[in-house]
Amino acid sequence: MENLWIGFANVLQLKYILLIMAGVAGGISIGSLPGLTATMGVALLLPVTFGMEATSGFLILIGIYVGAVYGGSVAAILVRTPGTPAAAATVFDGNEFSKRGEGGRAIGISTTASAIGGTISCLMLMFVSPFLAKFALKFSSAEYFALAFFGLTIIASISAKSLVKGLAVGMVGLLISTIGLDPMTGYSRFTFGSYYLFDGFSLIPVMIGLFAMPQIYTSVLDGLDEFDIKQKVTRILPSKEDVIKMLPTAIRSGFLGTFIGSIPGAGADIAAFTAYNEAKRWSKHPEKFGTGIVEGVAAPEAANNGVTGGALIPLLTLGVPGDAVAAILLGALTLQGLQPGPILFRDHIDLVYTIFAGVLIANIFMFIMGILGIRMFTRIVSVPKYYLMPIIFILCIVGSYAINNSFFDVLVMLGFGIVGYLMQKVEMSGSPIVLAMILGPMAEENLRKALVMSEGSPSIFFTSPISLFFLIAAVGTIVWPIVKNIRNKSNGNSTTDSGRKSA
Amino acid sequence: MTTKRHTTKKQADMVAAVILLLIGIYVSIEVSGYTKIASLDIGPAFFPRVLGVLLIVFAILLAWQAKSKNDQTQVVFINRNLMIVFGLVAAFAVAFNFLGFIITSVVLLTVLMRLMGAESWKKAILVSIITTIVIYGVFHTFLNVPLPLGILEPLL
């Protein structure tokens, strides 16, 4: 508790407050723009934070994350196009409000629900993380290997429509992570003799390439949609009845979002859809979902902001990112010379609690800006994208260059941009590559260290209960969808998952 | 090369499977040349070797799935505008060191803006120049990243 007060005392300096505010405002703007995602925003602005000290840099990125996940709902409600994938589920009911001329009311509900979800996840982050970190201190190589392995299987199985594609992409990501000098022996792997590759590919250019460039190429291919908001947005502050109506749904969805966020690989979009379906299932009048009801907006919005704090739990305590944005945040910490994980809690406890406090403050600003300033943000939706997209292209180039002042990184970014575009075309997601690049070295090093400790006997992974648990969970993640698939087929395909795809 | 190509989802998945398969085979060949280090450590080849084999397995599975699913939905990979953009990106990669950031950025921005629907060349050029100068200034002054100027170096 004492640490928490120190954290708040740290954050409540004018400098940090201003940075978080700027981050949240920037995040809401990015989120409001269809085509710009939270992942892209954080990846693009990461290079800007290099020059700052660790806390400032991290807090501004947190602000962007929280703001962007919320901002996606504005376009979802007003123009029927989610600003970010996280807001895709908000379209169903949110846009119905707009059709009735109640766009402002829907935004008010979304703002309140987002703040509730975000706050719940932040409280969970504050109270769960220290225990998890203490627990993780006991982890040795075997447990870390099993954890990384578990994380990788989940990422592969949920990030793509097809399990095989997810697994194949994950393998490619792991192979990319082995490029460079082998950390244990110094042996050079897949470097083609080029010293540029001795350290492997830098994570940030790969991420910018995979997450930002495909969007640009797709808009060149398909042309741009421009949005013009004619509706006057009025009455943002939700009425008492609306708040009372949404409260149970928002709280449940906030917890659900936090939980989904804390699972490696599952991000805000999955959380929002799951929460929407759960809210429908719990509801006494499920048939009203999709007609513009309070719960239909509150559930996905509370859940997607619930992810923000949830994703930070495994990131800070175990060094395993909860979703793609958390992977970039991990990159941000590593660039500052900080290694997330239990050691961070031991050696930099002040920073950890400052982050906790910062997440809460970011949620508060998100609420205030959403209620007071949303009219301004709705204008952003109509900013001409034919100016914006090219500028983002240049920012991708400059951002990649800035990391090491090296043009090689720009080439890496451009290369992965094209790879990412082609992958999108064959319905493969880029996230497994990025997460595998982070978890790969963790898996390999700990696998080898564990085997050295056990003198080559693989039994070390099965005698530790924690390691065994993760390994069983990992196998389950892979086998379960296959079993379900086979069972569905033998049942005459009657119960294919009606959730995400039909929704 | 024709500008309009019709590719089905099935074909696209097949090509992806073949590429993944080739990567897997390449990896397996490459790591077989790695030295074995005589110690308890399982060595630098072990992890990539396992990954390479698994990648081959998944690539074959993917090909098999694509074959049995037979999805004839059309996928459009490229059109004229995107080809221009890819060409521009290639030219940028080659010319950056020589021409420097300012020139390449203004050209890239202007062409992209026009391709994406900016009303006129004049407006596109104006916005491009302003954007480039602002980005250069911010990175140079505030973030301490000197973007290379190329042939403009002697002028500034």
Side-chain angles (χ1 to χ4, degrees):
Chain A
M1 258 345 242
E2 196 185 315
N3 284 321
L4 200 55
W5 299 129
I6 296 172
F8 274 105
N10 264 338
V11 160
L12 292 171
Q13 298 174 36
L14 188 63
K15 183 179 76 170
Y16 290 151
I17 293 286
L18 287 177
L19 281 171
I20 296 174
M21 255 174 81
V24 173
I28 300 178
S29 314
I30 291 167
S32 310
L33 282 156
L36 307 196
T37 64
T39 320
M40 184 175 175
V42 179
L44 273 181
L45 284 158
L46 169 59
V48 181
T49 65
F50 288 168
M52 306 176 183
E53 39 91 29
T55 318
S56 305
F58 202 76
L59 288 177
I60 194 168
L61 293 176
I62 291 277
I64 293 169
Y65 184 20
V66 170
V69 170
Y70 156 69
S73 65
V74 177
I77 289 166
L78 294 178
V79 292
R80 213 184 161 73
T81 305
T84 63
T90 312
V91 172
F92 307 140
D93 281 80
N95 190 245
E96 296 299 318
F97 277 93
S98 291
K99 283 185 190 160
R100 295 198 300 255
E102 293 182 313
R105 184 177 161 211
I107 291 177
I109 296 164
S110 141
T111 310
T112 315
S114 296
I116 293 172
T119 308
I120 288 174
S121 80
C122 180
L123 295 177
M124 295 287 286
L125 171 70
M126 284 170 180
F127 297 114
V128 174
S129 300
F131 294 104
L132 204 56
K134 211 176 267 172
F135 181 61
L137 264 181
K138 291 187 208 124
F139 284 17
S140 67
S141 297
E143 286 85 5
Y144 268 114
F145 166 74
L147 174 65
F149 186 68
F150 170 60
L152 285 164
T153 53
I154 295 206
I155 291 151
S157 64
I158 55 184
S159 59
K161 268 190 191 160
S162 131
L163 177 67
V164 176
K165 280 182 186 171
L167 288 169
V169 174
M171 289 306 133
V172 174
L174 287 173
L175 281 167
I176 292 171
S177 81
T178 65
I179 295 174
L181 300 183
D182 171 22
M184 296 186 76
T185 59
Y187 196 85
S188 134
R189 298 187 291 191
F190 307 111
T191 57
F192 306 97
S194 160
Y195 75 91
Y196 283 119
L197 286 175
F198 279 5
D199 289 325
F201 289 128
S202 307
L203 191 63
I204 312 292
V206 174
M207 283 193 299
I208 296 179
L210 286 176
F211 293 139
M213 296 303 278
Q215 208 63 54
I216 297 169
Y217 293 141
T218 313
S219 17
V220 173
L221 185 78
D222 299 337
L224 289 165
D225 305 316
E226 298 295 339
F227 301 104
D228 195 20
I229 295 175
K230 293 178 191 86
Q231 185 163 38
K232 264 196 111 132
V233 175
T234 46
R235 218 179 73 104
I236 308 281
L237 201 66
S239 64
K240 220 164 113 194
E241 295 84 71
D242 279 357
V243 174
I244 291 169
K245 226 183 206 172
M246 81 167 87
L247 214 53
T249 313
I251 291 173
R252 256 197 327 263
S253 305
F255 278 107
L256 185 67
T258 309
F259 175 70
I260 293 179
S262 67
I263 301 172
D269 43 344
I270 295 174
F273 274 109
T274 315
Y276 187 84
N277 285 331
E278 284 305 302
K280 202 170 169 177
R281 224 163 48 93
W282 275 65
S283 170
K284 287 191 199 88
H285 40 80
E287 73 285 350
K288 282 193 184 155
F289 275 77
T291 61
I293 58 167
V294 176
E295 294 92 326
V297 175
E301 283 304 308
N304 64 24
N305 271 84
V307 167
T308 55
L312 292 176
I313 296 175
L315 169 70
L316 293 172
T317 57
L318 306 167
V320 175
D323 68 357
V325 183
I328 304 170
L329 293 174
L330 186 140
L333 285 175
T334 326
L335 278 171
Q336 299 276 7
L338 296 163
Q339 188 58 49
I343 305 297
L344 192 72
F345 277 73
R346 204 185 59 196
D347 298 349
H348 297 280
I349 190 75
D350 50 332
L351 171 70
V352 170
Y353 278 90
T354 309
I355 292 172
F356 290 174
V359 179
L360 194 66
I361 302 285
N363 275 292
I364 294 169
F365 276 128
M366 180 199 78
F367 182 70
I368 297 172
M369 284 184 198
I371 295 294
L372 296 180
I374 206 65
R375 277 191 201 93
M376 213 176 66
F377 292 111
T378 54
R379 272 192 220 128
I380 290 171
V381 181
S382 354
V383 164
K385 289 230 287 296
Y386 45 82
Y387 288 137
L388 201 74
M389 280 299 191
I391 293 172
I392 288 169
F393 193 114
I394 296 296
L395 287 176
C396 291
I397 291 170
V398 177
S400 312
Y401 183 86
I403 296 153
N404 301 314
N405 286 352
S406 131
F407 190 64
F408 178 73
D409 282 339
V410 178
L411 295 176
V412 170
M413 185 277 292
L414 292 172
F416 274 92
I418 291 178
V419 170
Y421 169 74
L422 295 174
M423 280 171 57
Q424 210 178 61
K425 283 281 154 193
V426 292
E427 293 177 323
M428 289 176 176
S429 154
S431 323
I433 293 196
V434 169
L435 291 154
M437 279 178 70
I438 290 168
L439 293 177
M442 181 173 158
E444 180 180 17
E445 270 184 62
N446 287 301
L447 171 71
R448 287 162 71 177
K449 275 187 197 154
L451 287 177
V452 170
M453 269 190 289
S454 72
E455 303 187 344
S457 155
S459 68
I460 185 167
F461 299 109
F462 306 107
T463 45
S464 144
I466 301 167
S467 159
L468 185 66
F469 168 77
F470 282 130
L471 289 179
I472 291 172
V475 173
T477 323
I478 297 291
V479 175
W480 178 240
I482 301 172
V483 172
K484 213 167 68 177
N485 207 350
I486 294 169
R487 225 173 37 191
N488 280 347
K489 263 182 201 154
S490 58
N491 284 354
N493 252 339
S494 55
T495 49
T496 36
D497 52 335
S498 54
R500 272 180 77 197
K501 270 154 213 155
S502 68
Chain B
M1 209 183 184
T2 50
T3 36
K4 267 208 174 148
R5 258 166 200 258
H6 292 290
T7 319
T8 61
K9 259 189 188 173
K10 179 184 174 171
Q11 288 167 326
D13 277 3
M14 276 295 181
V15 174
V18 170
I19 293 172
L20 292 169
L21 183 71
L22 291 177
I23 297 174
I25 293 172
Y26 167 74
V27 167
S28 307
I29 296 169
E30 161 96 13
V31 295
S32 64
Y34 288 178
T35 44
K36 290 203 172 56
I37 291 158
S39 76
L40 290 172
D41 183 27
I42 49 178
F46 176 76
F47 197 61
R49 176 178 295 136
V50 174
L51 298 174
V53 172
L54 286 172
L55 185 58
I56 293 173
V57 173
F58 294 137
I60 293 170
L61 276 174
L62 181 59
W64 178 68
Q65 266 186 1
K67 197 167 166 269
S68 53
K69 236 197 242 155
N70 200 10
D71 192 338
Q72 295 294 335
T73 324
Q74 297 283 323
V75 191
V76 180
F77 276 88
I78 198 160
N79 61 6
R80 192 189 64 109
N81 280 359
L82 191 57
M83 239 189 280
I84 296 174
V85 171
F86 283 154
L88 209 62
V89 169
F92 167 84
V94 177
F96 182 82
N97 280 326
F98 174 64
L99 293 177
F101 172 71
I102 296 200
I103 296 176
T104 48
S105 163
V106 171
V107 173
L108 254 179
L109 279 171
T110 309
V111 179
L112 276 172
M113 283 175 185
R114 276 294 281 172
L115 275 180
M116 290 189 166
E119 302 93 339
S120 69
W121 282 105
K122 224 162 113 189
K123 252 186 156 171
I125 292 172
L126 194 70
V127 178
S128 301
I129 292 175
I130 295 169
T131 312
T132 304
I133 291 171
V134 170
I135 292 178
Y136 183 84
V138 167
F139 273 80
H140 186 87
T141 337
F142 295 111
L143 306 171
N144 252 327
V145 178
L147 292 160
L149 290 167
I151 51 169
L152 288 185
E153 192 88 58
L155 301 176
L156 288 158

